[in-house]
Amino acid sequence: MNHILLTGLPGVGKTTLIRELAKRLADYKPAGFYTEEIRDRGSRLGFRLETLDGRRGILAHRDDRSPYRVGRYGVDVDGFERLLAELGLSRVSARVILIDEIGKMECCSKRFIEEVTTLLDSSRMVVATIALKGEGFIRQVKQRPNCRLITVTVDNRYVLGDRLLEEVVDGIRKQDSQIASNR
């Protein structure tokens, strides 16, 4: 099973693709989360997490005094890890996991790294956005043989939705047929 990693410049449409995929896969009940900017009068203040089952949490904020910093943002690692514990992505029965994103802020969390590793080692399909640049865990994930990296660009972002949907549904059908043949 190949997992799909979407990378590209900030603002190119990676999160939009994850959100679109979540809507179009609703019948398959995917699990996961996406990230939204927190803005006030045109200024970005931080990042909010929204789970596919309706939970919300703050990932990072300019006013957060956390010792975990990425740029001008303090990362709320404790809050993020509580949300991850509630989600239990490595324990849910969903066959498709959507993660936005595997980035520097998220990688401040040891629990996040462990969960993503477990998911990428599992038979479930993971579709995740991943930072264009990054060392450590980000680089390790990109180099995994069971992960395929797709660069989202202004030119391909509108056609990728259909292609990703087809690929994920095909992967689910293959999982189903393997389960049926093992019975």
Side-chain angles (χ1 to χ4, degrees), residues 4-8 14 17-18 127-130 149-150 152 164:
I4 301 169
L5 305 174
L6 304 173
T7 195
K14 299 178 300 291
L17 278 169
I18 290 289
V127 180
T129 63
I130 191 163
L149 191 64
I150 298 172
V152 180
L164 290 172

Side-chain angles (χ1 to χ4, degrees), residues 160-175:
L160 277 177
D162 289 337
R163 192 170 108 202
L164 290 172
L165 178 67
E166 184 179 314
E167 192 168 330
V168 171
V169 169
D170 186 49
I172 291 170
R173 287 184 182 137
K174 286 178 183 171
Q175 283 178 0

Side-chain angles (χ1 to χ4, degrees), residues 103-150:
K104 291 177 186 173
M105 290 180 184
E106 294 82 0
C107 288
C108 290
S109 163
K110 183 179 177 187
R111 181 182 195 111
F112 175 76
I113 290 171
E114 290 169 355
E115 289 250 356
V116 169
T117 301
T118 298
L119 289 166
L120 294 176
D121 288 340
S122 77
S123 62
R124 289 180 283 163
M125 178 174 268
V126 175
V127 180
T129 63
I130 191 163
L132 185 61
K133 297 178 182 175
E135 297 301 318
F137 186 67
I138 294 168
R139 180 180 292 252
Q140 290 170 17
V141 170
K142 286 180 176 179
Q143 292 175 344
R144 288 179 65 109
N146 66 341
C147 292
R148 190 162 57 83
L149 191 64
I150 298 172

Side-chain angles (χ1 to χ4, degrees), residues 5-21 33-36 99-102 127-133 149-154 156-157 160 164:
L5 305 174
L6 304 173
T7 195
L9 294 171
V12 78
K14 299 178 300 291
T15 297
T16 301
L17 278 169
I18 290 289
R19 290 179 71 181
E20 177 186 331
L21 202 53
F33 64 88
Y34 58 90
T35 309
E36 290 286 322
I99 298 173
D100 176 43
E101 85 175 87
I102 301 169
V127 180
T129 63
I130 191 163
L132 185 61
K133 297 178 182 175
L149 191 64
I150 298 172
T151 301
V152 180
T153 66
V154 173
N156 71 4
R157 64 183 173 189
L160 277 177
L164 290 172

Side-chain angles (χ1 to χ4, degrees), residues 174-183:
K174 286 178 183 171
Q175 283 178 0
D176 290 346
S177 66
Q178 286 175 346
I179 290 169
S181 68
N182 288 337
R183 289 185 182 165

Side-chain angles (χ1 to χ4, degrees), residues 56-120:
R56 293 177 131 180
I58 302 296
L59 174 61
H61 200 279
R62 285 197 314 205
D63 296 338
D64 193 311
R65 299 292 171 227
S66 168
Y68 300 96
R69 313 269 327 154
V70 174
R72 62 182 161 205
Y73 304 100
V75 181
D76 182 1
V77 172
D78 291 339
F80 182 39
E81 290 189 343
R82 277 191 302 276
L83 187 66
L84 288 172
E86 290 173 16
L87 270 178
L89 292 177
S90 60
R91 298 182 315 273
V92 296
S93 61
R95 295 177 286 173
V96 179
I97 307 293
L98 304 176
I99 298 173
D100 176 43
E101 85 175 87
I102 301 169
K104 291 177 186 173
M105 290 180 184
E106 294 82 0
C107 288
C108 290
S109 163
K110 183 179 177 187
R111 181 182 195 111
F112 175 76
I113 290 171
E114 290 169 355
E115 289 250 356
V116 169
T117 301
T118 298
L119 289 166
L120 294 176

